[in-house]
Amino acid sequence: MSVESEKIKFAVIGYGHIGSRHTEMIRRNPEAELVAICDIRPKEELDLNGLDIPIYDSIDALFNSGLVVDVVNICTANGLHSQQAINALHHGAHVVVEKPLGLKTANCREVIAKAKESNRQVFCVMQNRYSPASIWIKDIV
């Protein structure tokens, strides 16, 4: 098996400020490969910095394309996170999702149940949990 085929294949859903940051981190990792971006805006409106990968206008178009995706990074509007995570899990992908996982506890429970059912991992980004300010606040509480 070649090194290229062993790379973890990522797709980023939502290519705004946070999605472009996820894209950059994926591109910097030698064990990862960015295979697709999904955004509702036309390709011409996205600042792709020379990326030459497929761009899809919906998560359904991405999954219907037949492209192999190991992990989906969800960087869309908060209210879309839980449903898009469930959709990605349904299609066999692991999920990295920006916070919040869902707007309601029930939404979060649905994602967790789908992850268990599909034997896939879900990770909710919490990049500030070890920042000095967060540690200070936790110590006060």
Side-chain angles (χ1 to χ4, degrees), residues 82-141:
S82 58
Q83 192 55 50
Q84 289 175 334
I86 289 168
N87 193 346
L89 291 163
H90 174 76
H91 285 93
H94 297 283
V95 174
V96 173
V97 59
E98 278 292 330
K99 61 191 167 306
L101 179 58
L103 296 182
K104 297 182 178 184
T105 304
N107 301 136
C108 299
R109 287 185 175 136
E110 288 176 40
V111 173
I112 293 165
K114 186 64 176 177
K116 288 179 180 179
E117 173 191 311
S118 60
N119 198 29
R120 293 291 178 258
Q121 299 294 311
V122 174
F123 174 79
C124 189
V125 175
M126 296 172 275
Q127 77 278 14
N128 290 318
R129 66 188 179 273
Y130 298 116
S131 71
S134 294
I135 292 169
W136 176 75
I137 289 171
K138 288 176 189 174
D139 288 343
I140 289 177
V141 171

Side-chain angles (χ1 to χ4, degrees), residues 12-15 36-40 54-59 62 76:
V12 173
I13 312 297
Y15 192 73
I37 291 174
C38 178
D39 197 281
I40 59 172
I55 311 296
Y56 298 95
D57 62 3
S58 74
I59 195 168
L62 168 65
T76 55

